[in-house]
Amino acid sequence: MSDSARIVIVGGGVGGASVAYHLTRLGERDVVVLERDELTSGSTFHSAGLVGQLRADPTLTRMNQYSVELYRTLDAGWTECGGVKLASTPERMAEIRRQIGWARAAGLPLEEISVAEAVELFPLMDPAGVAGAAYLPTDGRIDPSQLCYALAAGAREGGATIRTGVRVLGVRTAGGRVTGVRTDHGDLDCEIVVNCGGMFAAEIGRMAGVRVPIIPMSHQYVVTDACHDHPRLPTLRDPDLLVYYRQEVRGLVMGGYERTCAPWTAAPDAYDAVPADFNGRLLPEDWPRFEEISANSRVRVPAMADVGIRKLVNGPEAFTPDNEFCLGESEVAGFFVAAGFCAHGIAGAGGVGKVMAEWILGGEPPMDLRHMDVRRFGRHYRSPSYTFKRAVENYETYYDIPYPDRQRTAGRPLRTSPAYPWHAAHGAVFAEKAGWERVEHYARNETGDDAGDASERPRGWAGRGWSPAIGAEHRATRTAAGLFDESSFAKIEVTGPDAAELLERTCDNRVAREVGAVTYTQALNRRGGIACDFTVTRRGEEEFLVVTGTAAGPHDLALLRRRAALTGARVRIADVTGQYACFALWGPRARDVVAGLTPDPMDLPAMTSRETTVGDVPVLALAVTFVGEPGWELYCSSEYGRALWETLWRAGRPHGLVAGGYRAIDSLRLEKGYRVWGADVGPETTPYEAGLGFCVRPDGDFTGRDALDPAPERRLRCLTLADPRAVALGHEPVRLDGRVASRVTSGGYGYTARASIAYAYLPAGAGPGTSVEVEVEGAWVPATVVTTPLVR
């Protein structure tokens, strides 16, 4: 074996083969794939081979669409048989109609079909209890092993080397980056390692000091004897019965996701350990655990009661805690990950290989991959037990309807604010984000003199988890004052001699202002897309505080550290999220609340900061707002958090202060036109497109500057829907002049404007007054482009 290569891919399954294939298609020849046994011998060879394209994440949908385009060109047994999804309940039918809207926005030909049409497509099914269905003719199935071999052959043709029977024993690093791998056939120097290890990915990650949070789950399906003569059955999914089917010659493959699953580990406390000799093998058949799926399958396809079973396949599949892939570069420079395929890796393999190759060679993700970025996981996912609990829950709820109010329960509560006991005692309804318990609203605000209006409940999905308390908290903030716990916001300290220069080169706005200045800014990628969105407070000549979204913390921390490493900046970048509580006090009577609590008047100009005290508590006050009302974010060391909250609460009650949650914040910000990163803005939108051009310093020397166009072809627009009870939640198609032109980025109800509000990117010429339509749960609702803010 050669003793060096530029890129080493560890793992010869469909993921590793696809990455190698796409690297060579981009001209990279110095690629070596190392497989511990034979190609496909991990999870690939026993995958069921269904290829569905539509996902809730638009980026993953695009990746799956590319997979289908690629599979059509390969000699890999691709069969474009179409796919049928059934609804056995009215609730599932509502989900399907939402998904048809998503598909419309993505350009996929998903259509609602009648029960009779579903039977015509899949004659083996019993229609009893079926409420409706949808059909996507471009879905299909493929032989996973043939796919892997076809991709591997293409990689070899492009110059890659594939070595089987070579086990990686270690990953060498120096100075925070990869330098090589150690194998049972000798050492191999390299610049880049790509961990495509499948169920072994966690073990391979540990070799480099990288946590890859996956759990191998036992996933079973059966292959039946011949039971039909239909030449081309579509794939069939009945998620209400937890089952799926596809054709296998004249028989069927049938599997599903049982409610009592079986994580597969080598030892009870090992969680993600896999025996070293588990190559090309299956797990023992577990018929008792499969009985739930088997019984359900007979309900929908009665022939399953009598057909012979050729075999029960029980193979481990690597699942992540959130059912999303783990992709991208880790905190160790040059160590990339493409793992955690969560039983839909065959559908995504083509797209995964493409985006990974472009990421590796281009130095940054080519698409909005934040939901799949391996760096999205916080430090709590370093806990094997927490990862285990979350992965198990996600597997067992794989086919559950993803309602907007759906909450995970495993591993909770974990991260809590110092005021958490107060919230719980006062009727808080919590939602979890990035491990944090955050207040959605307070049930106590549903009743009383200031209660919200129950008649404002939106219809359909938007009405789930809704409470009149949201309106009460919203209106109190607009008219008096609202107190919100934002302790979950990620806080990053950037200090050192080069801190100012690093941030100036990273941010599109000028952030190295006078001490005490607060700046809202973006960090851009090389394409001019918004890679991060945060505020920067200058606390000293060499000291800055970056505050970003709760879930964005790990991502933004990694970006800052990566850019510091690339430039050799003399800085210290530290995550200090847990060290500080943060409470936001906003509203026209906010000054009345703190009058008498501070040694000096709280007369800070907007976007400035001050060290002061509130009652007995030392705080850092930032004059910033995300609701469009005056006030401050008040930061204090966590040990003071409970005292600060209660001090503000007692002082504020005589002035009409109401404690509020994040649902009210979202409603308030919608009316004011404030953007949310990850929804309204992200890596594929520029500041000028997003209406944030005021942040861009034209003479700045920052990443992405040369890619910016101050006169873009599209712009983010605010829409108000004609029906205030029809509320968009995101991804709904937007129609302009009778044609789908965009999708909703975010939406909700504005309680002061008394309007259903949505945001969408539209052609630049579609200014205020333009008429559009938004599809909300199957119905096209007229809407109008309006100027923001809606409330002044």
Side-chain angles (χ1 to χ4, degrees):
M1 188 170 68
S2 171
D3 61 1
S4 68
R6 179 164 183 256
I7 300 172
V8 170
I9 298 171
V10 183
V14 70
S18 185
V19 173
Y21 174 92
H22 286 90
L23 283 169
T24 61
R25 288 301 180 273
L26 293 176
E28 181 60 56
R29 302 285 183 264
D30 197 4
V31 179
V32 173
V33 179
L34 302 179
E35 165 53 44
R36 61 194 294 138
D37 192 62
E38 298 296 330
L39 295 181
T40 82
S41 63
S43 296
T44 298
F45 81 95
H46 60 71
S47 296
L50 282 73
V51 179
Q53 297 168 85
L54 183 66
R55 293 293 188 272
D57 176 22
T59 299
L60 184 53
T61 297
R62 288 160 57 193
M63 290 166 61
N64 290 352
Q65 288 174 281
Y66 169 79
S67 291
V68 167
E69 294 172 7
L70 173 66
Y71 299 167
R72 288 170 179 155
T73 70
L74 300 175
D75 183 13
W78 168 248
T79 301
E80 197 157 316
C81 56
V84 173
K85 181 175 181 178
L86 302 179
S88 297
T89 63
E91 293 79 10
R92 184 71 66 177
M93 198 63 226
E95 179 201 25
I96 283 178
R97 288 182 177 133
R98 283 183 57 79
Q99 291 174 335
I100 290 171
W102 301 348
R104 225 186 302 275
L108 281 171
L110 181 66
E111 59 179 340
E112 184 175 341
I113 60 175
S114 68
V115 177
E117 289 172 315
V119 172
E120 184 177 352
L121 288 164
F122 200 98
L124 298 176
M125 67 171 275
D126 181 348
V130 178
Y135 176 59
L136 183 53
T138 55
D139 277 356
R141 52 186 165 85
I142 197 167
D143 184 298
S145 293
Q146 287 187 48
L147 173 61
C148 183
Y149 283 116
L151 291 168
R156 285 192 180 100
E157 291 173 3
T161 301
I162 298 178
R163 301 290 187 188
T164 58
V166 178
R167 184 181 175 193
V168 172
L169 304 175
V171 176
R172 299 200 318 267
T173 63
R177 71 166 301 112
V178 162
T179 61
V181 296
R182 183 169 56 87
T183 82
D184 57 359
H185 283 58
D187 289 359
L188 189 63
D189 296 334
C190 63
E191 299 175 18
I192 293 168
V193 171
V194 189
N195 178 2
C196 297
M199 58 185 160
F200 294 96
E203 175 188 343
I204 296 166
R206 283 191 287 271
M207 296 176 185
V210 171
R211 172 67 173 153
V212 182
I214 63 166
I215 299 293
M217 303 293 293
S218 168
H219 184 71
Q220 298 189 115
Y221 63 83
V222 296
V223 182
T224 75
D225 290 334
C227 61
H228 64 86
D229 291 313
H230 303 289
R232 199 180 183 87
L233 290 174
T235 61
L236 179 71
R237 294 174 176 85
D238 190 338
D240 291 310
L241 289 175
L242 311 176
V243 294
Y244 62 78
Y245 309 82
R246 73 160 174 85
Q247 185 168 353
E248 178 69 10
V249 193
R250 293 179 57 226
L252 293 173
V253 166
M254 184 279 294
Y257 295 86
E258 66 277 13
R259 294 295 187 189
T260 304
C261 66
W264 180 61
T265 61
D269 58 350
Y271 297 111
D272 58 17
V274 180
D277 62 348
F278 196 86
N279 304 310
R281 293 165 51 189
L282 296 172
L283 301 172
E285 297 175 348
D286 190 350
W287 283 103
R289 182 166 56 84
F290 197 67
E291 178 53 35
E292 177 185 18
I293 300 301
S294 181
N296 288 355
S297 76
R298 297 191 290 270
V299 172
R300 189 56 60 224
V301 178
M304 294 297 298
D306 303 312
V307 69
I309 302 299
R310 286 173 47 202
K311 60 182 174 180
L312 172 65
V313 176
N314 186 3
E317 297 269 3
F319 273 73
T320 63
D322 58 5
N323 280 341
E324 298 280 5
F325 300 154
C326 282
L327 306 181
E329 190 170 18
S330 71
E331 61 268 31
V332 175
F335 188 85
F336 286 78
V337 178
F341 280 15
C342 303
H344 55 267
I346 300 301
V352 166
K354 182 177 187 294
V355 300
M356 284 296 299
E358 292 171 355
W359 196 336
I360 291 164
L361 300 182
E364 61 184 19
M367 302 167 70
D368 182 2
L369 295 167
R370 65 187 185 281
H371 293 308
M372 295 169 255
D373 194 323
V374 68
R375 299 169 298 177
R376 69 187 180 273
F377 296 104
R379 287 178 294 176
H380 48 295
Y381 281 103
R382 293 185 177 274
S383 163
S385 63
Y386 185 81
T387 301
F388 179 85
K389 294 170 188 172
R390 281 301 173 106
V392 166
E393 182 181 32
N394 272 288
Y395 184 97
E396 294 180 345
T397 58
Y398 193 88
Y399 273 150
D400 281 8
I401 298 174
Y403 289 119
D405 63 332
R406 182 174 68 163
Q407 284 292 305
R408 300 300 183 189
T409 60
R412 294 179 62 182
L414 181 65
R415 308 174 78 182
T416 61
S417 158
Y420 176 78
W422 189 99
H423 301 322
H426 287 75
V429 175
F430 293 101
E432 177 265 336
K433 190 168 189 177
W436 280 95
E437 297 295 327
R438 310 198 317 171
V439 177
E440 288 279 272
H441 63 270
Y442 291 89
R444 62 181 290 167
N445 293 331
E446 294 177 351
T447 59
D449 295 339
D450 298 324
D453 184 353
S455 69
E456 293 179 311
R457 178 186 294 274
R459 289 194 301 273
W461 275 30
R464 291 184 58 89
W466 180 88
S467 166
I470 302 167
E473 294 163 11
H474 171 118
R475 291 190 173 103
T477 306
R478 285 274 186 256
T479 60
L483 182 61
F484 302 90
D485 190 339
E486 296 184 335
S487 297
S488 67
F489 276 14
K491 310 161 195 81
I492 302 168
E493 286 183 349
V494 182
T495 58
D498 296 335
E501 182 180 357
L502 171 68
L503 290 171
E504 285 284 286
R505 288 186 174 274
T506 298
C507 301
D508 59 352
N509 207 341
R510 180 170 171 255
V511 296
R513 303 172 188 265
E514 65 278 5
V515 173
V518 181
T519 305
Y520 168 62
T521 186
Q522 299 84 42
L524 309 183
N525 56 36
R526 288 199 288 267
R527 303 185 306 278
I530 300 173
C532 305
D533 166 270
F534 43 59
T535 61
V536 179
T537 301
R538 188 166 199 172
R539 302 195 65 187
E541 288 301 315
E542 298 182 356
E543 182 180 0
F544 295 81
L545 175 66
V546 175
V547 178
T548 188
T550 300
H555 172 276
D556 294 3
L557 179 71
L559 181 140
L560 290 170
R561 285 177 170 169
R562 174 68 170 154
R563 294 196 177 176
L566 288 173
T567 60
R570 297 167 298 165
V571 294
R572 176 179 180 269
I573 302 174
D575 179 0
V576 295
T577 300
Q579 296 179 28
Y580 297 99
C582 173
F583 305 133
L585 173 63
W586 291 314
R589 302 198 67 183
R591 285 197 182 187
D592 297 333
V593 174
V594 298
L597 293 179
T598 60
D600 301 301
M602 289 288 280
D603 54 357
L604 288 73
M607 304 305 288
T608 63
S609 67
R610 177 188 297 171
E611 300 272 0
T612 186
T613 57
V614 175
D616 299 330
V617 179
V619 304
L620 171 67
L622 271 59
V624 297
T625 179
F626 196 56
V627 300
E629 299 297 333
W632 315 272
E633 289 179 352
L634 302 171
Y635 295 80
C636 69
S637 185
S638 289
E639 71 268 24
Y640 296 108
R642 177 72 179 262
L644 177 58
W645 180 272
E646 292 187 350
T647 296
L648 292 167
W649 176 251
R650 288 192 299 267
R653 290 303 289 154
H655 302 287
L657 177 73
V658 169
Y662 277 86
R663 295 288 292 275
I665 290 177
D666 192 55
S667 172
L668 290 157
R669 71 92 190 169
L670 283 166
E671 292 181 338
K672 290 292 185 175
Y674 297 146
R675 281 70 165 130
V676 171
W677 188 85
D680 305 310
V681 300
E684 296 185 60
T685 57
T686 72
Y688 288 109
E689 290 174 329
L692 300 174
F694 63 89
C695 291
V696 179
R697 49 196 165 110
D699 58 346
D701 182 14
F702 54 87
T703 300
R705 181 195 62 180
D706 294 341
L708 293 177
D709 179 0
E713 295 181 356
R714 63 172 189 164
R715 293 185 183 273
L716 185 65
R717 299 298 191 188
C718 180
L719 320 174
T720 55
L721 280 64
D723 181 355
R725 301 281 75 75
V727 173
L729 298 171
H731 307 320
E732 294 87 350
V734 179
R735 198 158 63 182
L736 174 66
D737 296 330
R739 301 182 64 182
V740 173
S742 185
R743 63 177 179 84
V744 171
T745 58
S746 69
Y749 183 73
Y751 292 87
T752 303
R754 294 185 178 273
S756 174
I757 304 167
Y759 286 82
Y761 284 89
L762 294 171
T770 301
S771 296
V772 297
E773 296 171 286
V774 179
E775 186 180 13
V776 180
E777 299 188 14
W780 287 102
V781 181
T784 304
V785 177
V786 296
T787 58
T788 55
L790 294 174
V791 176
R792 296 187 181 272

